[in-house]
Amino acid sequence: MHSLLASLPQPPYGFKMSGAQSWFTVIQIVLAGGMLLYAIREALRGRGPLFLYCLIGGAISVLFEPIVDVLGQCYLPARGQWHAFTLIGRPIPLMMPFVYCWFVGGQGYLFYRIFKRGIDRRQLFQLWALVFVVNVALETPGLVANVYTYYGHQPMNIWGFPLWWGFVNPLMPMLAGAVLYRLEPELRRPWALLAAIPLIPMADGVANAAIGWPVWAGLNTDTGYVGPWIAAFVALGLAALVVWMLSLLAARPSEAPARAEAPIPASVAIPSVPARA
């Protein structure tokens, strides 16, 4: 395993996490904590523990962070880091379990509620684009503040955030919400509802692998910038395909405008039948 990891492009180990991580950590704790308090309130009011289970599953999903960081070439520096755990040689800071708790788990529950309320295909694509924009807005300050960085021949890297990551990230909670919505009839019993906890990290892993694999291949082979850029457009197509698939599974058909019926020409009108005497 060590020799395999050593053969991949290596991150900038001299990079040091800035002191801004304290602000980012507090913000993530507030976001996750606010959702947790609301989930507990919902459970105590008899509305079920699903939201709480989603948050737990989201926190567990952080175990995918070092995997996608190695393959997608993102680096959370060890120097100056408030450390949470290390996996496959990558140190993960304290803020990340809280990020995954609210972003994957909390938003997964939000998408479940959206699917349950009803959304059509066009709205689902619009929502994917909206979460993409939100993800870019959330990631950019951390990059500017040197809390983490991307390295290697990252495609679509305009100002530090490779946009192909934005294709993938919104689909983690979207997929989780769609799966929960489709499985809801089977999750009515308390013991069955516990399945929501592992479903959240499973959706996280599936979304990353289903869409990110072309860019992972492009980044970790010697193709310069050409391979990763081609792979990024393939990933964009795969992401759109996944949104379309989710629309078939969990969204209602887009409402098409009703077509007015053309009048029947007089030449082909059915003649009236005279009444019998």
Side-chain angles (χ1 to χ4, degrees):
M1 175 64 73
H2 179 73
S3 60
L4 176 61
L5 293 175
S7 67
L8 299 175
Q10 297 302 300
Y13 288 114
F15 186 73
K16 181 180 180 180
M17 185 175 290
S18 73
Q21 73 169 315
S22 58
W23 292 102
F24 284 91
T25 303
V26 170
I27 291 171
Q28 304 311 321
I29 291 175
V30 169
L31 288 171
M35 286 192 174
L36 179 60
L37 291 175
Y38 187 81
I40 293 173
R41 179 187 176 191
E42 291 288 285
L44 293 176
R45 288 187 171 188
R47 296 176 181 173
L50 180 59
F51 193 4
L52 181 60
Y53 291 167
C54 287
L55 294 176
I56 295 172
I60 295 172
S61 300
V62 74
L63 295 176
F64 278 106
E65 177 67 21
I67 299 172
V68 300
D69 285 353
V70 169
L71 295 172
Q73 298 182 6
C74 174
Y75 184 57
L76 296 151
R79 292 179 59 199
Q81 182 187 114
W82 294 0
H83 186 63
F85 67 93
T86 298
L87 186 63
I88 58 174
R90 289 300 179 93
I92 302 301
L94 179 63
M95 74 182 79
M96 294 310 296
F98 297 99
V99 173
Y100 274 78
C101 178
W102 75 262
F103 187 87
V104 182
Q107 286 196 126
Y109 178 78
L110 175 62
F111 275 106
Y112 155 77
R113 295 293 298 270
I114 289 173
F115 286 124
K116 190 172 181 178
R117 184 179 300 118
I119 184 172
D120 64 29
R121 181 175 301 165
R122 180 170 55 186
Q123 292 170 335
L124 188 60
F125 271 95
Q126 291 171 344
L127 195 55
W128 172 51
L130 175 62
V131 180
F132 166 83
V133 173
V134 171
N135 183 233
V136 173
L138 290 173
E139 294 241 14
T140 299
L143 293 166
V144 173
N146 292 323
V147 175
Y148 63 103
T149 188
Y150 294 92
Y151 61 97
H153 295 152
Q154 292 283 350
M156 301 184 177
N157 187 358
I158 309 301
W159 60 87
F161 177 64
L163 295 180
W164 71 269
W165 281 83
F167 306 152
V168 180
N169 291 339
L171 285 171
M172 297 186 294
M174 289 177 69
L175 180 58
V179 171
L180 288 172
Y181 171 72
R182 293 295 296 179
L183 291 180
E184 183 181 32
E186 309 299 328
L187 301 179
R188 298 192 183 278
R189 296 183 179 181
W191 62 267
L193 193 60
L194 287 168
I197 296 176
L199 282 175
I200 301 298
M202 288 169 67
D204 182 304
V206 168
N208 274 285
I211 302 159
W213 68 266
V215 189
W216 295 346
L219 287 172
N220 293 290
T221 53
D222 189 15
T223 57
Y225 282 98
V226 176
W229 269 88
I230 294 174
F233 283 105
V234 174
L236 173 59
L238 292 176
L241 177 62
V242 171
V243 178
W244 175 75
M245 291 168 60
L246 294 181
S247 74
L248 296 179
L249 291 172
R252 64 175 184 266
S254 298
E255 297 179 1
R259 293 184 298 176
E261 294 185 2
I264 301 175
S267 59
V268 296
I270 300 175
S272 61
V273 179
R276 295 185 186 181

